[in-house]
Amino acid sequence: MKVTVVGAGAVGASCAEYIAIKNFASEVVLLDIKEGYAEGKAMDLMQTASLNGFDTKIVGVTDDYSKTAGSDIAVITSGIPRKPGMTREELIGINAGIVKTVSSNLIKHSPNVILIVVSNPMDTMTYLVHKSTGLPKNRIIGMGGALDSARFKYRLAEALEAPISDVDGMVIGGHSDTGMVPLTRQATRNSIPVSEFLSNDRLSQVAEDTKVGGATLTKLLGTSAWYAPGAAVSSLVQAIACDQKKMFPCSVMLDGEYGLKDICIGVPIILGKNGIEKIVTIDLNDAEKAKMQESAVGVRATNDLLEV
Ligand code: NAI
């Protein structure tokens, strides 16, 4: 199993590290445009192999796509992250050009690759990859909901004063501060609805804290987060590489599901060796449906800024 990670910055390197530590891939190629940067990150990570007990070979390259040839999965994290006070949407100008070039280079050397798009604004970048590459729908996946759901579970566990492993919950919709739809009604603690334990006000607060989860960290760190994004990407890569048939909310091209068409937005999917094995339709009530439609309006407004 060969995985390429484009962008050896904060998220790309964290993602490569988690993939290596999970020890399911034979090779991870880390590629960056900055001379020597990916080579340095790869060497540093390889020097953790004996300490962390993995055999995955991590290779760093500067913009040489021939070294990525034959990749089964490729992750696109190249681009600029947001600074405090910025929205993800403001990154579109620079990142669209980067994502378009990178995806085309990847496919040239790995025609069967499954692409995971991370660069922001992620839903729009995923849409751009669809429109510019023409790859089959099952092979283009945007990562956002897996991270947002992990942040939701963190906030739920905090409110419930419960271990994280006791809680479950999912965030669908667009990967933006206003677009996320945390499904509080379906969230559980040991399979019991969390509404049994938390007031409506407290649950609304959990949902709000989840939606600004990225912005909260950007303010604290001065740049966007990397551990949880890297871990979330590595979980998607593992689900595909190990054919886990596991459910994650991801940004995928919809064709009528959830009443939406010609848009990439977060919905639950089953991930396995073919990439998207299935789009899962969950029952939403009217309020949840309305939030999803509103979220789609926001994503489409950003898509409209693209010159595809
Ligand atoms: P970073 O600045 O640490 O790393 C980005 C790397 O991309 C840099 O090393 C840069 O040299 C490289 N790069 C730029 N243009 C390139 C090109 N044409 N080819 C190859 N490499 C290139 O940024 P960070 O924090 O790693 O974030 C990366 C992206 O991921 C940002 O757009 C950020 O907003 C996004 N992000 C998305 C998340 C999600 O949930 N979808 C979560 C966190 C970040």
Side-chain angles (χ1 to χ4, degrees), residues 143-172:
M143 194 294 290
L147 169 65
D148 302 332
S149 300
R151 288 177 171 158
F152 185 35
K153 287 181 236 185
Y154 163 77
R155 289 296 183 190
L156 281 169
E158 180 185 57
L160 291 160
E161 296 181 33
I164 298 238
S165 55
D166 283 0
V167 303
D168 205 3
M170 191 158 53
V171 178
I172 59 172

Side-chain angles (χ1 to χ4, degrees), residues 182-255:
L183 295 176
T184 47
R185 191 174 59 94
Q186 293 87 338
T188 57
R189 173 189 191 169
N190 293 324
S191 309
I192 302 164
V194 291
S195 54
E196 295 289 328
F197 308 101
L198 298 173
S199 67
N200 282 341
D201 280 357
R202 188 67 184 94
L203 259 177
S204 301
Q205 188 58 52
V206 165
E208 282 316 304
D209 289 344
T210 301
K211 288 163 75 173
V212 296
T216 304
L217 282 161
T218 303
K219 206 167 153 199
L220 289 168
L221 297 167
T223 184
S224 75
W226 56 89
Y227 293 121
V233 178
S234 76
S235 297
L236 304 192
V237 172
Q238 186 176 23
I240 299 166
C242 304
D243 195 24
Q244 287 178 326
K245 307 273 196 292
K246 225 169 154 177
M247 186 163 80
F248 292 93
C250 291
S251 187
V252 301
M253 181 61 90
L254 297 183
D255 186 22

Side-chain angles (χ1 to χ4, degrees), residues 6-13 31-34 37 41 63 65 76-82 88 91 95 97-99 101-102 117-122 142-145 147-148 151 175 223-226 228-230 232-233:
V6 181
V11 176
L31 182 147
D32 204 283
I33 200 162
K34 237 187 282 172
Y37 192 59
K41 288 277 181 111
D63 216 26
Y65 283 83
I76 303 176
T77 76
S78 44
I80 52 163
R82 58 180 169 157
R88 294 172 177 93
L91 307 173
N95 286 357
I98 294 175
V99 167
T101 310
V102 166
V117 181
V118 182
S119 310
N120 273 318
M122 182 278 297
M143 194 294 290
L147 169 65
D148 302 332
R151 288 177 171 158
H175 178 61
T223 184
S224 75
W226 56 89
V233 178

Side-chain angles (χ1 to χ4, degrees), residues 2-304:
K2 178 169 174 177
V3 182
T4 288
V5 178
V6 181
V11 176
S14 161
C15 157
E17 180 176 16
Y18 284 117
I19 292 172
I21 285 176
K22 292 177 183 178
N23 214 12
F24 59 83
S26 48
E27 185 178 356
V28 174
V29 177
L30 199 51
L31 182 147
D32 204 283
I33 200 162
K34 237 187 282 172
E35 187 71 42
Y37 192 59
E39 286 86 339
K41 288 277 181 111
M43 192 185 290
D44 193 10
L45 283 171
M46 278 308 286
Q47 290 169 2
T48 70
S50 63
L51 299 163
N52 284 331
F54 63 77
D55 293 318
T56 303
K57 185 176 157 205
I58 308 172
V59 180
V61 295
T62 303
D63 216 26
D64 177 2
Y65 283 83
S66 68
K67 299 286 188 332
T68 71
S71 293
D72 301 284
I73 304 169
V75 179
I76 303 176
T77 76
S78 44
I80 52 163
R82 58 180 169 157
K83 296 282 173 222
M86 280 175 90
T87 66
R88 294 172 177 93
E89 289 68 30
E90 288 174 68
L91 307 173
I92 189 169
I94 295 178
N95 286 357
I98 294 175
V99 167
K100 203 168 163 183
T101 310
V102 166
S103 51
S104 146
N105 285 336
L106 285 168
I107 294 165
K108 217 176 288 163
H109 292 87
S110 304
N112 299 318
V113 72
I114 295 174
L115 294 177
I116 300 180
V117 181
V118 182
S119 310
N120 273 318
M122 182 278 297
D123 297 294
T124 295
M125 293 301 111
T126 309
Y127 183 78
L128 170 67
V129 173
H130 271 283
K131 295 293 172 188
S132 63
T133 67
L135 274 194
K137 278 188 350 178
N138 60 303
R139 285 168 45 200
I140 304 174
I141 300 148
M143 194 294 290
L147 169 65
D148 302 332
S149 300
R151 288 177 171 158
F152 185 35
K153 287 181 236 185
Y154 163 77
R155 289 296 183 190
L156 281 169
E158 180 185 57
L160 291 160
E161 296 181 33
I164 298 238
S165 55
D166 283 0
V167 303
D168 205 3
M170 191 158 53
V171 178
I172 59 172
H175 178 61
S176 70
D177 298 0
T178 50
M180 287 179 215
V181 184
L183 295 176
T184 47
R185 191 174 59 94
Q186 293 87 338
T188 57
R189 173 189 191 169
N190 293 324
S191 309
I192 302 164
V194 291
S195 54
E196 295 289 328
F197 308 101
L198 298 173
S199 67
N200 282 341
D201 280 357
R202 188 67 184 94
L203 259 177
S204 301
Q205 188 58 52
V206 165
E208 282 316 304
D209 289 344
T210 301
K211 288 163 75 173
V212 296
T216 304
L217 282 161
T218 303
K219 206 167 153 199
L220 289 168
L221 297 167
T223 184
S224 75
W226 56 89
Y227 293 121
V233 178
S234 76
S235 297
L236 304 192
V237 172
Q238 186 176 23
I240 299 166
C242 304
D243 195 24
Q244 287 178 326
K245 307 273 196 292
K246 225 169 154 177
M247 186 163 80
F248 292 93
C250 291
S251 187
V252 301
M253 181 61 90
L254 297 183
D255 186 22
E257 299 89 349
Y258 294 87
L260 296 167
K261 241 180 187 303
D262 193 38
I263 186 169
C264 293
I265 193 166
V267 296
I269 59 163
I270 306 289
L271 275 182
K273 64 178 187 311
N274 300 306
I276 304 167
E277 302 282 343
K278 188 181 181 329
I279 295 177
V280 179
T281 309
I282 47 173
D283 275 337
L284 300 180
N285 66 19
D286 288 346
E288 291 155 354
K289 278 182 194 157
K291 282 185 189 160
M292 193 66 180
Q293 295 301 320
E294 208 179 299
S295 181
V297 170
V299 173
R300 284 195 204 283
T302 311
N303 291 352
D304 286 345

